Amino acid sequence: MPIASFYELPATLLTPAEQRRSICRVIAKAWQVLGEVDILCADPETAQAMDDLLWTFQGGAFIPHGIAADEPVRIHLNCASMPQSVKALALCIEVLPATLPPCERLLDFVPADPQAKAAARERYRLCKSAGFTMQVHPLEL
């Protein structure tokens, strides 16, 4: 049964850059454990920001990645560019697409902002109704 892990971002991470840096930590851990991660971004700006941050978020760390690249960590703007099934799918979006590729692990992030939190609650509800085993983790700084 697939697992959906929702990570609650601390309210102290106020800027989008700080939030993305924390998301990169989760993605790095998933890559270390599962060997590959696909990241679905809402727009080209978010995709480019994630691409840039995966180079710099942690000194001395290297995560092989790229936008729609043939790397263990792949950044996508839509599901069409993803493999037919993925080990881990990290969501950097507010609204789930109509169809997602099958995955072993779904990684989602819950910002402190009330509007973004409401969107995350809807994604949680949809994942639960789709049969995912649900987990919620507070993300520590």
Side-chain angles (χ1 to χ4, degrees):
M1 178 161 298
I3 298 170
S5 297
F6 281 71
Y7 294 88
E8 296 175 326
L9 298 170
T12 55
L13 298 177
L14 300 177
T15 69
E18 291 171 324
Q19 291 178 11
R20 287 188 202 111
R21 191 169 288 110
S22 291
I23 290 168
C24 285
R25 287 187 11 240
V26 173
I27 290 168
K29 183 67 173 175
W31 168 65
Q32 290 170 351
V33 172
L34 298 171
E36 63 183 62
V37 178
D38 287 272
I39 305 166
L40 181 58
C41 295
D43 52 57
E45 294 78 22
T46 302
Q48 189 60 58
M50 292 302 293
D51 186 43
D52 294 344
L53 268 175
L54 284 168
W55 287 109
T56 62
F57 80 98
Q58 187 176 17
F62 175 72
I63 299 172
H65 71 281
I67 296 175
D70 188 21
E71 297 286 351
V73 177
R74 298 168 292 270
I75 302 167
H76 307 275
L77 289 171
N78 57 58
C79 295
S81 66
M82 287 188 204
Q84 289 186 344
S85 70
V86 298
K87 285 191 178 188
L89 177 57
L91 300 178
C92 294
I93 58 174
E94 285 198 15
V95 178
L96 281 178
T99 58
L100 290 173
C103 62
E104 294 175 27
R105 187 64 154 269
L106 185 76
L107 309 171
D108 202 336
F109 304 93
V110 183
D113 172 70
Q115 189 173 13
K117 189 177 274 191
R121 283 188 181 115
E122 178 62 15
R123 292 191 307 275
Y124 182 97
R125 187 188 65 71
L126 291 170
C127 289
K128 188 173 183 177
S129 67
F132 281 87
T133 298
M134 305 304 291
Q135 298 178 340
V136 177
H137 307 281
L139 195 57
E140 303 294 325
L141 293 177

